[in-house]
């Protein structure tokens, strides 16, 4: 008797595979019967899936496929959801999917089944109908496009025709109105001639634009018709004369005297002159200022040929908002010719008007276009275009200022006070740093180290005396620039601005003195701070006062009120201060150095000021930049950097540090050379 082994008696799921030949399942095959018996409970769904598989295999004439029972049952839930069989589903349940895939990809394979010829015929017919429809669609689309072009052209033609008719009718109405007014004028002319009237004279030569461009000094030629003022000979006539030049007081007085001679001419007695100022008026349009500005700028360029950049500063703006600049010499085509003319005439003769006249004419011809194309407002938010800046500049008034002709320029701010009793004091001096461009001050380092303090104090006191003579009382700030003149290699100091107000620098200077118990001596540009003495040492220090040297030490401060960072608004002030404390950013009252923040308000919290005090300028600059870097790192993420000027401030301070280090090295080299010279001298 043969006994079946347990492995044969208990079939595993992997043994229920069966074969389909020519798209038909052999339902009597042992493997299929075993598969059917094992999955009898879900046979209804399996049967439906098998029917789809049989049909698919018959349609593609696949001769033999071995179906894996486990994959078939695993695919069953997905099939029940979509009730559809694709070639990829068939491949997932077959044992040799690569071979079946190759057969399915054979050209024309899907037409080899029982109804293949009908399917092929249907495919050919559908393809042909698609081709015909596509061809018809392309022709239709082209015709539709053409009809659209024709329709638009027709609409434009109708619009132009209608516009021509409207213009023709409008011109006809104007002509008709003119004829009516002319008839009315002719009918009433005798009455008008004997009545009170005002004549407005607009002097114009009436030439076309191309002709006017080729006429030298065209405005002067237009103004040669001032004789029209003599229409006031008629006692009933008043004259308004539109002048192409701004008439100064001297010219107005001249014509007033000429027009007053009419009565004296009649009588022959000069004392019979009459004042006729109420009978005539000379007016210059506001727009003429642009031409006056160009003429003045041309004269400035000729007088200062070494200046490459010119600034335009408004009277009623501050913080760089009302400033624009233009690099004129970089775009002036006649620059080389003007330099040759200047050297040809020599320094003394070049100052004379007759020598400058040809150059002035050439520069004036180019300058209007150069300024219009290349002038740039500093604050693009305030003035997006030069046109808007120019309109405000001409209406408010302002100055045209030379920018120093040097690569390295240092700006300074000096705060002063004129007391009610007339005393003048210098309160603070600082070197500016610029995070947002060379024309906007972002803060200062105090005391200043760029100019000899005696020279600076003397210059500022002269300005203070000038203000005192004009009855200025109170606080005011002076903006200055210093640079090395490339032609003489000597240091120059220019005063560039005067603000009659209490400055941010002075406020932070007062805070510095308050926190350090120090004394700022502007005459020697030093900030002296007494050394901290503990209480236990006070008695001993009293005994040793005579034998000890001065305990005062120097300090430097970097100060700004212009820091901004949008991410600061995410932190409350106490959280921000705790964060700074954790990173060692704070103030040491014993050493009298460190950092203090100026907090402005508690709602937005996106702006603040910072004051950093240290023993040397280089160190305090490094501490200031380090503080900004740490704060930015703590409140920013890679994807949320925020709107800030921290980075640009750090960059500018790094540039200053480079210059400071270079100056320090030069100073040490000079000291070393002096020591070497002293050592080389023989003893007497």
């Amino acid at each position: 008797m043969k006994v079946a082994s347990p492995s044969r008696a208990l079939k595993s799921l992997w043994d229920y595979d069966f074969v389909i030949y020519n798209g038909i399942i052999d339902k009597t095959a042992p493997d299929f019967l075993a598969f059917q018996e094992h999955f009898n409970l879900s046979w209804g769904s399996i049967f439906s899936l098998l029917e789809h598989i049989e049909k698919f295999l018959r349609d593609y004439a696949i001769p033999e496929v071995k179906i894996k029972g486990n994959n078939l049952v695993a695919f069953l839930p997905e099939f029940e959801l979509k009730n559809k069989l694709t070639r990829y589903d068939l491949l997932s349940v077959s044992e040799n999917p690569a071979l079946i895939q190759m057969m399915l990809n054979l050209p024309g394979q899907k037409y080899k089944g029982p109804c293949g010829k009908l399917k092929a015929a249907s495919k050919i017919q559908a393809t042909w109908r698609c081709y015909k429809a596509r061809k018809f669609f392309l022709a239709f689309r082209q015709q539709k496009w053409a009809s659209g072009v024709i329709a638009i052209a027709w609409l434009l033609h109708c619009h132009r025709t209608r516009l021509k008719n409207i213009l023709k009718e409008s011109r006809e109405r104007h002509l008709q109105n003119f004829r009516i007014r002319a008839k009315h004028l002719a009918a009433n002319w005798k009455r008008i001639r004997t009545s009170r009237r005002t004549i407005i004279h607009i002097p114009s030569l009436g030439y076309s634009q191309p002709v006017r461009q080729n006429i030298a000094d065209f405005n002067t030629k237009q103004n040669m018709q001032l004789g029209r003022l003599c229409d006031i000979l008629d006692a009933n006539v008043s004259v308004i004369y539109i002048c192409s030049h701004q008439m100064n007081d001297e010219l107005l007085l001249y014509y007033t005297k000429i027009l007053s001679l009419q009565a004296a001419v009649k009588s022959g007695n000069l004392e019979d002159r009459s004042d006729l100022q109420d009978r005539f008026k000379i007016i210059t349009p506001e727009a003429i200022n642009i031409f006056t500005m160009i003429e003045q700028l041309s004269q400035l360029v000729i007088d200062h040929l070494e200046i490459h950049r010119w600034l335009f500063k408004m009277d009623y703006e501050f913080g760089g908002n009302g400033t624009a600049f233009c690099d004129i010499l970089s775009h002036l085509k006649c620059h080389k010719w003007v330099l040759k003319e200047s050297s040809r005439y020599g320094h003394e003769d070049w100052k004379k008007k007759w020598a400058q006249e040809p150059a002035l004419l050439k520069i004036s011809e180019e300058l209007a276009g150069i300024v219009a194309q290349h002038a740039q407002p500093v604050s693009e938010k305030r003035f997006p275009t030069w046109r808007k800046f120019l309109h405000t500049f001409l209406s408010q008034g302002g100055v045209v200022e030379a920018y120093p002709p040097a690569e390295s320029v240092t700006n300074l701010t000096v705060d002063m006070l004129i007391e009610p009793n007339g005393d003048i004091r210098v309160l603070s001096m600082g070197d500016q740093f610029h995070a947002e461009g060379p024309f906007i001050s972002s803060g200062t380092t105090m005391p200043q180290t760029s100019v000899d303090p005696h020279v600076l104090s003397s210059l500022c006191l002269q300005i203070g005396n000038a203000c005192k003579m004009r009855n200025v009382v109170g606080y005011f700030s002076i903006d200055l620039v210093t640079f090395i003149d490339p032609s003489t290699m000597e240091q120059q100091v220019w005063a560039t601005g005067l603000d009659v107000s209490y400055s941010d620098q002075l406020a932070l200077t007062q805070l510095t003195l308050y926190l350090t118990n120090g004394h700022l001596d502007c005459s020697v540009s030093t900030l002296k701070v007494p050394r901290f003495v503990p209480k236990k040492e006070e008695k001993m220090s009293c005994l040793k006062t005579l034998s000890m040297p001065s305990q005062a030490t120097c300090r430097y401060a970097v100060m700004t009120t212009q820091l901004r960072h949008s991410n600061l608004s995410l932190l409350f002030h106490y959280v921000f201060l705790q964060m700074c404390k954790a990173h060692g950013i704070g103030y040491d009252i014993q050493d009298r150095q460190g950092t203090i923040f100026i907090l402005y308000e508690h709602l937005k919290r996106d702006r603040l000021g910072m004051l950093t005090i240290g023993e040397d300028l280089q160190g305090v600059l490094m501490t200031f930049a380090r503080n900004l870097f740490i704060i930015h790192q703590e409140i920013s993420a890679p994807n949320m950097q925020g709107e800030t000027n921290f980075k640009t401030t750090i960059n500018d301070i790094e540039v200053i540090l480079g210059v400071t280090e270079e100056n320090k090295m030069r100073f040490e080299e000079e000291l070393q050379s002096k020591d070497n010279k002293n050592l080389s001298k023989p003893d007497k």
Side-chain angles (χ1 to χ4, degrees):
M1 177 176 166
K2 190 183 249 185
V3 180
S5 65
S7 61
R8 294 291 298 171
L10 299 174
K11 278 182 168 290
S12 68
L13 182 63
W14 300 95
D15 297 327
Y16 298 112
D17 299 345
F18 57 92
V19 181
I20 302 177
Y21 297 100
N22 297 321
I24 299 173
I25 298 174
D26 184 1
K27 296 181 174 56
T28 61
D31 289 341
F32 180 76
L33 291 174
F35 174 77
Q36 181 179 6
E37 181 181 357
H38 187 77
F39 296 103
N40 189 38
L41 295 177
S42 57
W43 187 250
S45 300
I46 295 175
F47 182 75
S48 177
L49 175 57
L50 291 174
E51 285 183 335
H52 280 77
I53 293 175
E54 285 181 313
K55 183 178 183 305
F56 188 91
L57 295 174
R58 287 196 299 270
D59 290 342
Y60 280 85
I62 305 298
E64 180 181 350
V65 174
K66 187 174 184 179
I67 302 297
K68 299 182 71 65
N70 59 334
N71 292 359
L72 183 70
V73 175
F75 173 68
L76 191 60
E78 183 179 348
F79 174 76
E80 289 178 343
L81 287 175
K82 62 183 183 180
N83 198 26
K84 184 180 179 182
L85 184 71
T86 64
R87 65 166 60 190
Y88 301 106
D89 298 334
L90 176 64
L91 294 174
S92 67
V93 300
S94 61
E95 187 177 48
N96 191 0
L99 180 61
I100 297 173
Q101 175 73 35
M102 184 180 66
M103 295 182 65
L104 293 175
N105 291 337
L106 290 174
Q109 183 68 29
K110 65 179 179 179
Y111 303 116
K112 294 181 179 179
C115 301
K117 292 184 178 180
L118 292 176
K119 291 181 180 179
S122 299
K123 180 65 176 178
I124 293 171
Q125 291 175 352
T127 303
W128 175 252
R129 285 195 297 268
C130 180
Y131 166 76
K132 295 288 289 183
R134 174 70 178 170
K135 186 177 180 181
F136 174 78
F137 167 74
L138 293 176
F140 170 76
R141 188 174 66 177
Q142 187 175 13
Q143 292 172 358
K144 186 177 180 181
W145 173 81
S147 64
V149 173
I150 294 170
I152 292 173
W154 173 250
L155 290 174
L156 290 175
H157 170 73
C158 294
H159 178 70
R160 282 195 296 269
T161 303
R162 185 169 62 254
L163 189 60
K164 285 182 180 179
N165 292 332
I166 292 173
L167 292 174
K168 186 177 180 181
E169 292 173 2
S170 176
R171 179 172 176 77
E172 190 63 33
R173 284 197 306 271
H174 292 162
L175 288 173
Q176 191 64 27
N177 290 335
F178 169 76
R179 294 188 185 103
I180 293 172
R181 290 196 301 271
K183 288 181 180 179
H184 180 271
L185 182 64
N188 295 276
W189 181 243
K190 291 183 179 180
R191 180 182 60 80
I192 293 173
R193 287 184 61 183
T194 57
S195 302
R196 293 286 300 171
R197 63 193 185 276
T198 299
I199 299 176
I200 301 176
H201 284 302
I202 304 176
S204 173
L205 300 180
Y207 297 142
S208 63
Q209 179 68 20
V211 176
R212 290 200 301 270
Q213 288 178 344
N214 296 319
I215 297 178
D217 211 1
F218 182 70
N219 288 334
T220 302
K221 291 185 181 298
Q222 286 197 122
N223 214 34
M224 292 177 179
Q225 301 176 356
L226 280 161
R228 294 185 178 190
L229 292 169
C230 296
D231 284 344
I232 62 172
L233 181 64
D234 186 341
N236 293 323
V237 172
S238 297
V239 173
I240 297 177
Y241 181 85
I242 310 299
C243 183
S244 58
H245 280 293
Q246 190 72 39
M247 303 282 279
N248 61 11
D249 294 339
E250 184 180 2
L251 283 176
L252 289 174
L253 180 62
Y254 173 75
Y255 284 108
T256 301
K257 287 185 176 181
I258 287 181
L259 294 174
S260 68
L261 294 175
Q262 207 272 329
V265 170
K266 286 183 178 180
S267 65
N269 186 2
L270 186 61
E271 296 180 356
D272 291 340
R273 291 181 300 175
S274 57
D275 187 3
L276 301 178
Q277 289 189 63
D278 59 337
R279 299 272 309 282
F280 72 94
K281 187 73 173 177
I282 299 176
I283 297 175
T284 303
E286 290 183 3
I288 204 67
N289 290 335
I290 177 61
F291 305 108
T292 305
M293 188 192 78
I294 293 299
E295 290 176 7
Q296 294 174 352
L297 184 57
S298 301
Q299 188 64 55
L300 287 172
V301 172
I302 283 183
D303 292 340
H304 306 279
L305 292 173
E306 73 280 5
I307 302 299
H308 288 258
R309 174 175 289 182
W310 291 89
L311 309 181
F312 305 88
K313 292 184 175 180
M314 296 183 188
D315 288 337
Y316 302 108
E317 295 286 346
F318 65 94
N321 285 334
T323 303
F325 65 93
C326 184
D327 297 329
I328 291 176
L329 293 191
S330 302
H331 305 94
L332 192 65
K333 296 179 181 178
C334 63
H335 180 220
K336 292 182 179 179
W337 179 83
V338 174
L339 289 176
K340 289 180 181 178
E341 289 291 296
S342 173
S343 60
R344 183 166 69 90
Y345 282 106
H347 181 69
E348 292 299 325
D349 285 345
W350 182 247
K351 295 180 181 179
K352 299 173 182 178
K353 297 297 180 184
W354 58 267
Q356 295 180 354
E357 189 173 351
L360 186 65
L361 182 61
K362 281 198 172 187
I363 291 177
S364 299
E365 291 174 354
E366 291 188 42
L367 206 53
I370 291 173
V371 173
Q373 292 182 16
H374 302 288
Q376 301 177 40
V378 172
S379 176
E380 294 184 355
K381 291 183 179 179
R382 178 72 175 85
F383 299 104
T385 62
W386 164 250
R387 183 182 294 274
K388 291 186 177 180
F389 180 93
L390 181 62
H391 175 75
T392 309
F393 181 79
L394 295 177
S395 60
Q396 287 189 4
V399 295
V400 180
E401 179 182 296
Y403 187 79
E407 294 183 1
S408 178
V409 178
T410 301
N411 297 73
L412 300 91
T413 300
V414 178
D415 292 298
M416 302 187 69
L417 170 64
I418 301 178
E419 296 180 337
N421 61 0
D423 291 344
I424 303 174
R425 290 196 294 146
V426 181
L427 302 179
S428 179
M429 292 179 171
D431 294 324
Q432 298 178 10
F433 58 87
H434 304 84
E436 301 180 46
F439 307 108
I440 302 176
S441 174
S442 300
T444 54
T445 61
M446 185 276 298
Q448 67 84 26
T449 57
S450 302
V451 182
D452 185 324
H454 298 291
V455 174
L456 187 60
S457 297
S458 174
L459 175 61
C460 292
L461 287 174
Q462 292 179 38
I463 297 173
N465 285 317
C467 293
K468 179 182 175 181
M469 293 175 61
R470 290 163 175 79
N471 299 320
V472 175
V473 177
Y475 298 95
F476 63 94
S477 301
I478 305 171
D479 290 329
L480 307 103
V481 294
T482 181
F483 60 97
I484 302 299
D485 189 340
S487 59
T488 62
M489 297 308 294
E490 295 181 355
Q491 186 177 23
Q492 301 290 326
V493 182
W494 292 356
T496 60
L498 183 71
D499 295 325
V500 185
S501 62
Y502 195 103
S503 73
D504 294 348
Q505 174 182 271
L506 182 55
L508 292 178
T509 299
Q510 297 295 339
L511 180 59
T512 303
L513 299 178
Y514 186 87
L515 292 172
T516 59
N517 193 28
H519 172 69
L520 177 63
D521 189 348
C522 293
S523 63
V524 292
S525 194
T526 58
L527 173 60
K528 294 288 186 178
V529 176
R531 189 177 68 85
F532 175 75
V533 179
K535 291 183 178 180
K536 294 181 180 179
E537 298 180 10
E538 285 182 357
K539 295 182 180 179
M540 295 296 296
S541 63
C542 293
L543 298 175
K544 297 180 180 179
T545 300
L546 296 175
S547 61
M548 290 180 63
S550 173
Q551 297 175 351
T553 58
C554 290
R555 291 287 186 272
Y556 290 88
V558 182
M559 52 185 69
T560 179
T561 59
Q562 305 298 322
L563 295 176
R564 68 176 190 278
H565 202 307
S566 58
N567 291 351
L568 283 171
S569 59
L570 303 176
L571 302 178
F572 288 104
H573 284 151
Y574 71 90
V575 178
F576 170 74
L577 294 175
Q578 288 295 325
M579 178 192 74
C580 293
K581 182 179 180 181
H583 287 278
I585 302 174
Y587 186 73
D588 189 328
I589 60 173
Q590 294 185 359
D591 288 342
R592 294 186 173 96
Q593 58 182 324
T595 298
I596 293 292
F597 296 101
I598 298 90
L599 307 177
Y600 302 135
E601 45 82 30
H602 68 284
L603 296 176
K604 291 184 178 179
R605 304 188 303 277
D606 59 343
R607 292 176 179 269
L608 54 80
M610 188 165 72
L611 168 63
T612 302
I613 304 170
E615 293 181 354
D616 63 274
L617 180 59
Q618 191 172 11
V620 75
L621 283 168
M622 293 176 66
T623 302
F624 189 89
R626 172 185 171 273
N627 293 345
L628 291 180
F629 178 78
I630 290 174
I631 295 171
H632 177 71
Q633 291 293 105
E634 287 295 316
I635 66 176
S636 303
N639 59 346
M640 193 176 72
Q641 292 291 300
E643 295 182 6
T644 179
N645 62 355
F646 281 27
K647 294 181 180 179
T648 52
T649 304
I650 293 171
N651 292 339
D652 191 62
I653 289 177
E654 288 177 348
V655 173
I656 297 173
L657 283 170
V659 175
T660 305
E661 181 65 25
E662 183 179 350
N663 293 339
K664 184 178 179 181
M665 293 174 63
R666 288 181 180 177
F667 181 70
E668 291 175 352
E669 289 175 359
E670 290 176 1
L671 287 178
Q672 185 65 35
S673 63
K674 288 181 180 179
D675 293 341
N676 294 337
K677 288 181 180 178
N678 292 334
L679 291 173
S680 62
K681 290 181 179 179
D683 295 335
K684 293 182 179 179

